[in-house]
Amino acid sequence: MTSDPLRLTVLGSATPHATVDNPCSGYLVSHGTTRLWVDAGSGTLAQLQRHVRLDEVDAIWISHLHADHSADLLTTYYAVLFANVRFDAPIPLYGPPGIADRLARFLTNTSTRSPVESAFAVHELHDGHQASVGGLTLTTRAVEHGIPAFAVRVEAEGRSLVYSGDTAPCANLTRLAEGCDALLCEAESSRAPADGPQVHHTPEDTGDTAEAAGARRLLVTHVGPALTPAEAVRRASARFRGPVDYAAPGTTFSIA
């Protein structure tokens, strides 16, 4: 009997804002009947609905609270509470500490706090957080982005996908990605900053992280405006011996 594949669908990967053909960061991870929405950047709610209804999403996981990874939670709130789709319970939402109050501040128009918890069952992430979503197991590690930020390892039936979120190269990400079937890793920066802390990967860093982790496959995402996707893939490929692809919006990858 053949088991269900683990699939990754790229809803968008643009930074720092959505473009005409690429929403901001967002991904749909699916396995069997389980659907996990990973990051909810601007424009991703619309793209999500090309693949599933919002009431078919089992949980949402947010890497950090920069708008290009989380802004569509605001419109999702309205969709859950006021659209013509019935939800039996709030959607489980895994995100950085303070995510509920952050959403409430954006959503309120009065002195009364918006009832964020009526739309989302909020679970705050921490380093080493673990959760089960349908047939998926999620392991979260803290990464280095200058604000609370996380990477996640998603596993199902022996297959594994690791998503970096936004981060500088760091030991936690490398350890999380050890032996994974696919590493979905950002390559935002054309070069490391001359002054100040590094908060993103360069393409070379992306290849180095995948190589050090022993990942079987590298998917380059979140390519910054100073790079083209082809350039990012070429530069990452010089450091990683396995196959390298660009996480183009609308693409579905089977993780095997």
Side-chain angles (χ1 to χ4, degrees), residues 8 24 26 33-34 40 54 81 90 102 112 133 142 167 176 181 184 195 203 208:
L8 167 72
C24 287
T33 60
T34 303
L54 186 55
L81 294 187
R102 177 76 171 270
T112 302
V133 176
T167 179
L176 186 69
D181 291 302
L184 176 67
D195 345 310
D208 287 343

Side-chain angles (χ1 to χ4, degrees), residues 93-145:
L93 171 61
Y94 298 90
I99 188 171
D101 287 340
R102 177 76 171 270
L103 290 173
R105 284 197 297 272
F106 274 108
L107 291 164
T108 191
N109 292 305
T110 70
S111 59
T112 302
R113 185 183 185 278
S114 291
V116 171
E117 290 81 4
S118 60
F120 303 114
V122 178
H123 305 270
E124 291 192 346
L125 297 172
H126 57 78
D127 188 37
H129 183 279
Q130 293 193 314
S132 295
V133 176
L136 303 175
T137 300
L138 279 57
T139 302
T140 293
R141 296 301 308 269
V143 293
E144 298 177 10
H145 191 50

Side-chain angles (χ1 to χ4, degrees), residues 27-39:
Y27 309 91
L28 175 64
V29 178
S30 58
H31 173 257
T33 60
T34 303
R35 304 288 182 267
L36 174 69
W37 183 8
V38 175
D39 275 352

Side-chain angles (χ1 to χ4, degrees), residues 179-248:
C180 68
D181 291 302
L183 171 60
L184 176 67
C185 190
E186 66 120 298
E188 194 276 344
S189 298
S190 179
R191 59 183 59 85
D195 345 310
Q198 185 174 355
V199 294
H200 286 288
H201 278 60
T202 66
E204 288 78 11
D205 293 329
T206 300
D208 287 343
T209 294
E211 186 70 22
R216 293 179 176 84
R217 182 180 190 182
L218 174 59
L219 304 174
V220 176
T221 193
H222 203 57
V223 173
L227 292 162
T228 67
E231 180 184 4
V233 167
R234 176 182 59 78
R235 288 170 56 178
S237 297
R239 301 292 190 94
F240 176 59
R241 289 174 290 180
V244 182
D245 293 291
Y246 169 58

